[in-house]
Amino acid sequence: MSIHNKTGELRGCVGTFHTTEQFLSEQVIKSAVSACSRDPGFAAVEPWELPLIDVKVDVLSRSSR
């Protein structure tokens, strides 16, 4: 999961090789929260920034569950 501003600059990202949630939708939500608030390389995304960001989700393989 990566978050970019409208000019394409990275604003936050997080990833995992193994899911920790039962459903992909839950994993996406968990990753989105982490990417926008827990990436140590960036300040947390502020509410006013939401219309100015793009979110990219990459699913690399099927879950083994």
Side-chain angles (χ1 to χ4, degrees), residues 7 10 13 16 24 29-30 32-34 38-42 45 47 54 57 61-63:
T7 62
L10 186 63
C13 67
T16 181
L24 177 60
I29 292 166
K30 184 176 183 178
V33 170
S34 292
R38 295 188 188 107
D39 183 336
F42 299 91
V45 172
D54 292 316
V57 177
S61 66
R62 293 180 133 201
S63 174

Side-chain angles (χ1 to χ4, degrees), residues 24-65:
L24 177 60
S25 58
E26 293 173 345
Q27 188 67 49
V28 168
I29 292 166
K30 184 176 183 178
S31 295
V33 170
S34 292
C36 72
S37 63
R38 295 188 188 107
D39 183 336
F42 299 91
V45 172
E46 299 288 337
W48 63 266
E49 294 180 89
L50 295 176
L52 307 174
I53 59 174
D54 292 316
V55 178
K56 181 179 179 184
V57 177
D58 295 303
V59 179
L60 303 179
S61 66
R62 293 180 133 201
S63 174
S64 60
R65 292 182 184 186

